[in-house]
Coordinates of all heavy atoms in Angstrom, one line a residue:
T21 N 0.1 2.9 -20.2 CA 0.4 1.8 -21.0 C -0.6 1.7 -22.2 O -0.2 1.5 -23.3 CB 0.4 0.4 -20.3 OG1 1.4 0.5 -19.2 CG2 0.8 -0.7 -21.1
V22 N -1.9 1.8 -21.9 CA -2.9 1.8 -22.9 C -2.7 2.9 -23.9 O -2.8 2.7 -25.1 CB -4.3 1.8 -22.3 CG1 -5.4 2.0 -23.3 CG2 -4.5 0.5 -21.5
V23 N -2.4 4.1 -23.4 CA -2.2 5.3 -24.3 C -1.0 5.0 -25.2 O -1.1 5.3 -26.4 CB -2.1 6.6 -23.5 CG1 -1.6 7.7 -24.3 CG2 -3.4 6.9 -22.8
L24 N 0.1 4.6 -24.6 CA 1.3 4.3 -25.4 C 1.1 3.2 -26.4 O 1.5 3.3 -27.6 CB 2.5 4.0 -24.5 CG 3.1 5.1 -23.7 CD1 4.1 4.6 -22.8 CD2 3.7 6.2 -24.7
G25 N 0.4 2.2 -26.0 CA 0.1 1.0 -26.9 C -0.8 1.4 -28.1 O -0.7 0.8 -29.2
S26 N -1.7 2.3 -27.9 CA -2.6 2.7 -29.0 C -2.1 3.8 -29.8 O -2.7 4.2 -30.8 CB -4.0 3.0 -28.4 OG -3.8 4.2 -27.6
A27 N -0.9 4.4 -29.5 CA -0.3 5.5 -30.3 C 0.4 5.0 -31.5 O 0.6 5.8 -32.4 CB 0.6 6.3 -29.4
G28 N 0.7 3.8 -31.6 CA 1.4 3.3 -32.8 C 2.2 2.0 -32.5 O 2.0 1.4 -31.4
S29 N 3.0 1.7 -33.5 CA 3.8 0.5 -33.2 C 5.3 0.7 -33.7 O 5.7 0.1 -34.7 CB 3.2 -0.7 -33.9 OG 3.2 -0.5 -35.3
T30 N 5.9 1.6 -33.0 CA 7.4 1.8 -33.2 C 8.2 1.2 -32.1 O 7.6 0.8 -31.0 CB 7.7 3.3 -33.3 OG1 7.4 3.9 -32.0 CG2 6.8 4.0 -34.4
L31 N 9.4 1.0 -32.4 CA 10.3 0.5 -31.3 C 10.4 1.4 -30.1 O 10.5 0.9 -29.0 CB 11.7 0.2 -31.9 CG 12.7 -0.5 -31.1 CD1 12.2 -1.9 -30.7 CD2 14.1 -0.6 -31.8
L32 N 10.4 2.7 -30.3 CA 10.4 3.6 -29.2 C 9.2 3.5 -28.3 O 9.3 3.5 -27.1 CB 10.6 5.0 -29.8 CG 10.8 6.1 -28.7 CD1 12.0 5.9 -27.9 CD2 10.8 7.5 -29.4
L33 N 8.0 3.4 -29.0 CA 6.8 3.2 -28.2 C 6.8 1.9 -27.4 O 6.3 1.8 -26.3 CB 5.5 3.3 -29.1 CG 5.2 4.7 -29.6 CD1 4.1 4.6 -30.6 CD2 4.8 5.6 -28.4
A34 N 7.3 0.8 -28.1 CA 7.4 -0.5 -27.4 C 8.3 -0.4 -26.2 O 8.1 -0.9 -25.1 CB 7.9 -1.5 -28.4
A35 N 9.4 0.4 -26.4 CA 10.4 0.6 -25.2 C 9.7 1.3 -24.1 O 9.9 1.1 -22.9 CB 11.6 1.3 -25.7
G36 N 8.8 2.3 -24.5 CA 8.1 3.1 -23.5 C 7.1 2.2 -22.7 O 7.0 2.3 -21.5
V37 N 6.4 1.3 -23.4 CA 5.5 0.4 -22.8 C 6.2 -0.6 -21.8 O 5.8 -0.8 -20.7 CB 4.7 -0.4 -23.8 CG1 3.9 -1.6 -23.2 CG2 3.7 0.5 -24.5
L38 N 7.4 -1.1 -22.3 CA 8.2 -2.0 -21.4 C 8.8 -1.2 -20.2 O 8.9 -1.8 -19.1 CB 9.3 -2.6 -22.3 CG 8.8 -3.6 -23.3 CD1 9.9 -4.1 -24.2 CD2 8.2 -4.8 -22.6
A39 N 9.2 0.0 -20.4 CA 9.7 0.8 -19.3 C 8.6 1.0 -18.2 O 8.8 0.9 -17.0 CB 10.2 2.2 -19.7
V40 N 7.3 1.3 -18.7 CA 6.2 1.4 -17.7 C 6.0 0.1 -17.0 O 5.7 0.0 -15.8 CB 5.0 1.9 -18.5 CG1 3.7 1.8 -17.6 CG2 5.2 3.3 -19.0
A41 N 6.1 -1.0 -17.8 CA 5.9 -2.4 -17.2 C 6.9 -2.6 -16.1 O 6.6 -3.3 -15.1 CB 5.9 -3.4 -18.3
L42 N 8.2 -2.2 -16.3 CA 9.2 -2.4 -15.3 C 8.9 -1.6 -14.1 O 9.1 -2.1 -12.9 CB 10.6 -2.0 -15.9 CG 11.1 -2.9 -16.9 CD1 12.4 -2.3 -17.5 CD2 11.4 -4.3 -16.3
V43 N 8.4 -0.4 -14.2 CA 8.0 0.4 -13.1 C 6.9 -0.2 -12.3 O 6.9 -0.3 -11.1 CB 7.7 1.9 -13.5 CG1 7.1 2.7 -12.3 CG2 8.9 2.6 -14.1
K44 N 5.9 -0.8 -13.1 CA 4.8 -1.5 -12.4 C 5.3 -2.7 -11.7 O 4.9 -3.0 -10.6 CB 3.8 -1.9 -13.5 CG 3.0 -0.7 -14.0 CD 2.1 -1.1 -15.1 CE 1.0 -2.0 -14.7 NZ 0.0 -2.3 -15.8
A45 N 6.3 -3.5 -12.2 CA 6.8 -4.6 -11.6 C 7.5 -4.2 -10.3 O 7.4 -4.9 -9.2 CB 7.8 -5.4 -12.5
W46 N 8.2 -3.1 -10.3 CA 8.9 -2.6 -9.1 C 7.9 -2.2 -8.1 O 8.0 -2.5 -6.9 CB 9.8 -1.4 -9.5 CG 10.3 -0.7 -8.3 CD1 11.3 -1.1 -7.4 CD2 9.9 0.6 -7.8 NE1 11.5 -0.2 -6.5 CE2 10.6 0.9 -6.7 CE3 8.9 1.5 -8.2 CZ2 10.5 2.0 -5.9 CZ3 8.7 2.7 -7.5 CH2 9.5 2.9 -6.4
M47 N 6.8 -1.5 -8.5 CA 5.8 -1.1 -7.5 C 5.1 -2.3 -6.9 O 4.8 -2.3 -5.7 CB 4.7 -0.2 -8.2 CG 5.3 1.2 -8.5 SD 4.0 2.2 -9.2 CE 3.0 2.6 -7.8
I48 N 4.8 -3.3 -7.7 CA 4.2 -4.5 -7.2 C 5.1 -5.3 -6.2 O 4.6 -5.6 -5.1 CB 3.7 -5.5 -8.3 CG1 2.6 -4.9 -9.1 CG2 3.3 -6.8 -7.8 CD1 2.3 -5.6 -10.4
S49 N 6.3 -5.4 -6.5 CA 7.2 -6.2 -5.6 C 7.6 -5.4 -4.4 O 7.6 -6.0 -3.3 CB 8.5 -6.6 -6.4 OG 9.3 -5.5 -6.7
D50 N 7.8 -4.1 -4.5 CA 8.2 -3.3 -3.3 C 7.0 -2.9 -2.5 O 7.0 -2.8 -1.3 CB 9.0 -2.1 -3.7 CG 10.4 -2.4 -3.8 OD1 10.8 -3.5 -3.7 OD2 11.2 -1.4 -3.9
G51 N 5.9 -2.6 -3.2 CA 4.7 -2.1 -2.5 C 3.8 -3.2 -2.0 O 3.6 -3.4 -0.8
F52 N 3.2 -4.0 -2.9 CA 2.2 -5.0 -2.5 C 2.8 -6.2 -1.8 O 2.3 -6.7 -0.9 CB 1.4 -5.4 -3.7 CG 0.3 -4.4 -4.1 CD1 0.4 -3.7 -5.3 CD2 -0.8 -4.1 -3.3 CE1 -0.5 -2.7 -5.6 CE2 -1.7 -3.2 -3.6 CZ -1.6 -2.5 -4.8
M53 N 4.0 -6.6 -2.4 CA 4.6 -7.8 -1.8 C 5.5 -7.4 -0.7 O 6.1 -8.3 0.0 CB 5.4 -8.5 -2.9 CG 4.5 -9.1 -4.0 SD 5.4 -9.7 -5.4 CE 6.1 -11.2 -4.6
E54 N 5.7 -6.1 -0.4 CA 6.5 -5.6 0.7 C 7.9 -6.1 0.7 O 8.5 -6.4 1.8 CB 5.8 -5.8 2.0 CG 4.5 -5.1 2.1 CD 3.9 -5.1 3.5 OE1 4.5 -5.6 4.4 OE2 2.8 -4.7 3.6
L55 N 8.5 -6.2 -0.5 CA 9.9 -6.7 -0.5 C 10.9 -5.6 -0.3 O 12.1 -5.9 -0.3 CB 10.2 -7.4 -1.9 CG 9.6 -8.8 -2.0 CD1 9.9 -9.3 -3.4 CD2 10.1 -9.7 -1.0
R56 N 10.5 -4.4 0.0 CA 11.4 -3.3 0.3 C 12.2 -3.6 1.6 O 13.2 -3.0 1.8 CB 10.8 -2.0 0.3 CG 9.7 -1.8 1.3 CD 9.0 -0.5 1.2 NE 7.8 -0.4 2.0 CZ 6.6 -0.8 1.6 NH1 6.5 -1.3 0.4 NH2 5.6 -0.8 2.4
H57 N 11.6 -4.5 2.4 CA 12.3 -4.9 3.6 C 13.0 -6.3 3.5 O 13.5 -6.8 4.5 CB 11.2 -5.0 4.8 CG 10.4 -3.8 4.9 ND1 10.9 -2.6 5.3 CD2 9.1 -3.6 4.7 CE1 10.0 -1.7 5.3 NE2 8.8 -2.2 5.0
A58 N 13.0 -6.8 2.3 CA 13.6 -8.2 2.1 C 15.0 -8.1 1.8 O 15.6 -7.0 1.5 CB 12.8 -8.9 1.0
P59 N 15.7 -9.2 1.9 CA 17.2 -9.2 1.5 C 17.3 -8.8 0.1 O 16.5 -9.0 -0.8 CB 17.6 -10.7 1.7 CG 16.6 -11.2 2.7 CD 15.3 -10.5 2.4
P60 N 18.5 -8.1 -0.2 CA 18.7 -7.6 -1.6 C 18.6 -8.7 -2.7 O 18.2 -8.4 -3.8 CB 20.1 -7.0 -1.5 CG 20.3 -6.7 -0.1 CD 19.5 -7.7 0.7
L61 N 19.0 -9.9 -2.4 CA 18.9 -11.0 -3.4 C 17.5 -11.2 -3.9 O 17.3 -11.4 -5.1 CB 19.5 -12.3 -2.9 CG 19.5 -13.5 -3.8 CD1 20.3 -13.1 -5.1 CD2 20.0 -14.7 -3.1
W62 N 16.5 -11.2 -3.0 CA 15.1 -11.4 -3.4 C 14.7 -10.3 -4.3 O 14.0 -10.5 -5.3 CB 14.2 -11.5 -2.2 CG 14.3 -12.9 -1.5 CD1 14.9 -13.2 -0.4 CD2 13.8 -14.1 -2.1 NE1 14.8 -14.6 -0.2 CE2 14.1 -15.1 -1.2 CE3 13.1 -14.4 -3.3 CZ2 13.7 -16.5 -1.4 CZ3 12.7 -15.7 -3.5 CH2 13.1 -16.7 -2.6
R63 N 15.0 -9.1 -3.9 CA 14.6 -7.9 -4.7 C 15.3 -8.0 -6.1 O 14.6 -7.7 -7.1 CB 15.0 -6.6 -4.0 CG 14.2 -6.4 -2.7 CD 14.6 -5.2 -2.0 NE 14.0 -4.1 -2.7 CZ 14.3 -2.8 -2.5 NH1 15.2 -2.5 -1.6 NH2 13.6 -1.9 -3.1
L64 N 16.5 -8.4 -6.1 CA 17.3 -8.5 -7.4 C 16.6 -9.6 -8.3 O 16.4 -9.4 -9.5 CB 18.7 -8.8 -7.2 CG 19.6 -9.0 -8.4 CD1 19.7 -7.7 -9.1 CD2 20.9 -9.6 -8.0
L65 N 16.3 -10.7 -7.7 CA 15.6 -11.8 -8.5 C 14.3 -11.3 -9.0 O 13.9 -11.6 -10.2 CB 15.5 -13.0 -7.6 CG 16.8 -13.8 -7.3 CD1 16.5 -14.9 -6.3 CD2 17.4 -14.3 -8.6
L66 N 13.5 -10.7 -8.2 CA 12.1 -10.3 -8.6 C 12.1 -9.2 -9.6 O 11.1 -9.0 -10.3 CB 11.2 -10.1 -7.4 CG 10.7 -11.4 -6.8 CD1 10.0 -11.1 -5.5 CD2 9.7 -12.0 -7.8
L67 N 13.1 -8.3 -9.6 CA 13.2 -7.2 -10.5 C 14.1 -7.6 -11.7 O 13.9 -7.0 -12.8 CB 13.7 -6.0 -9.8 CG 12.7 -5.4 -8.8 CD1 13.3 -4.2 -8.1 CD2 11.4 -5.0 -9.5
G68 N 15.0 -8.5 -11.6 CA 15.8 -8.9 -12.7 C 15.1 -9.7 -13.7 O 15.4 -9.5 -14.9
W69 N 14.1 -10.5 -13.4 CA 13.4 -11.2 -14.3 C 12.6 -10.3 -15.3 O 12.7 -10.5 -16.5 CB 12.4 -12.2 -13.6 CG 11.6 -13.0 -14.6 CD1 10.3 -12.9 -14.8 CD2 12.1 -14.0 -15.5 NE1 9.9 -13.8 -15.8 CE2 11.0 -14.5 -16.3 CE3 13.4 -14.5 -15.8 CZ2 11.2 -15.5 -17.2 CZ3 13.5 -15.5 -16.8 CH2 12.4 -16.0 -17.5
P70 N 11.8 -9.3 -14.8 CA 11.1 -8.5 -15.8 C 12.1 -7.7 -16.6 O 11.9 -7.4 -17.8 CB 10.3 -7.5 -14.9 CG 10.2 -8.2 -13.6 CD 11.3 -9.1 -13.5
L71 N 13.2 -7.3 -16.1 CA 14.3 -6.6 -16.8 C 14.8 -7.4 -17.9 O 15.0 -7.0 -19.1 CB 15.4 -6.1 -15.9 CG 16.4 -5.2 -16.5 CD1 15.9 -3.9 -17.0 CD2 17.5 -4.9 -15.4
A72 N 15.1 -8.7 -17.6 CA 15.6 -9.6 -18.6 C 14.5 -9.9 -19.7 O 14.9 -9.9 -20.9 CB 16.0 -11.0 -18.0
M73 N 13.3 -10.0 -19.4 CA 12.2 -10.2 -20.4 C 12.1 -8.9 -21.2 O 11.9 -9.1 -22.5 CB 10.9 -10.5 -19.7 CG 10.8 -11.8 -19.0 SD 10.7 -13.2 -20.2 CE 12.4 -13.6 -20.4
A74 N 12.1 -7.8 -20.7 CA 12.0 -6.5 -21.4 C 13.2 -6.4 -22.4 O 13.0 -6.0 -23.6 CB 11.9 -5.3 -20.5
G75 N 14.4 -6.7 -21.9 CA 15.5 -6.7 -22.8 C 15.4 -7.7 -24.0 O 15.7 -7.4 -25.1

Side-chain angles (χ1 to χ4, degrees):
T21 302
V22 171
V23 169
L24 287 173
S26 64
S29 63
T30 65
L31 188 59
L32 185 61
L33 286 172
V37 168
L38 290 170
V40 172
L42 289 173
V43 172
K44 288 172 67 175
W46 170 73
M47 288 182 74
I48 289 169
S49 66
D50 273 8
F52 284 111
M53 296 174 70
E54 295 188 9
L55 285 180
R56 62 185 168 273
H57 307 296
L61 179 61
W62 281 108
R63 294 179 78 190
L64 177 67
L65 288 172
L66 278 169
L67 292 176
W69 179 249
L71 185 60
M73 289 289 94

